[in-house]
Amino acid sequence: MEIIPVIYIHKGKCVSFYKGDKGYETVYPKSPKNYAEIFASYGAKHIHIVDKDGGNWKITEKIAREIPEIKIQLSAKIRTID
C-alpha cells in the first residue's frame, strides 16, 4: 500500500478546511514547497495537490521543478489549457 500525502493550496498557502467548509479554514505556517520537501524526506514518491483557487499553478510548477523525485497529481479549477 502507498500512502499519498495531499497539499491543499488556497491563496498561495497550505490550508485545510473543516468538513470542506471554507468558513473553517486552518492556515499552516510552512509554504506548499516546504511541505512537499518534508514529504519527500519521509520517502513519499507522489503527492496530490489540490489547488482550491485554480490560480496557484506557479507554486505547483516550482514544486515539480525543484523536487523532481516526487510525481504530482493535481486537481484544480482549471478553466482553459492555457
Side-chain angles (χ1 to χ4, degrees):
M1 176 171 65
E2 180 180 6
I3 296 172
I4 301 173
V6 63
I7 297 172
Y8 286 85
I9 304 173
H10 179 57
K11 297 179 182 174
K13 300 184 185 217
C14 286
V15 298
S16 65
F17 303 106
Y18 178 71
K19 294 187 178 181
D21 186 344
K22 286 187 180 180
Y24 296 96
E25 177 183 75
T26 301
V27 179
Y28 293 96
K30 297 183 186 298
S31 73
K33 182 179 172 274
N34 289 140
Y35 284 110
E37 290 169 334
I38 291 167
F39 293 142
S41 75
Y42 280 100
K45 303 288 185 232
H46 300 87
I47 58 172
H48 181 83
I49 296 177
V50 179
D51 182 348
K52 299 299 281 185
D53 310 312
N56 296 297
W57 62 270
K58 288 183 181 181
I59 295 170
T60 303
E61 182 181 51
K62 183 175 184 170
I63 292 169
R65 186 177 55 254
E66 295 183 15
I67 312 171
E69 64 272 16
I70 284 190
K71 295 182 188 230
I72 296 173
Q73 180 185 47
L74 175 66
S75 59
K77 294 179 180 179
I78 299 170
R79 300 289 184 238
T80 68
I81 296 299
D82 296 335

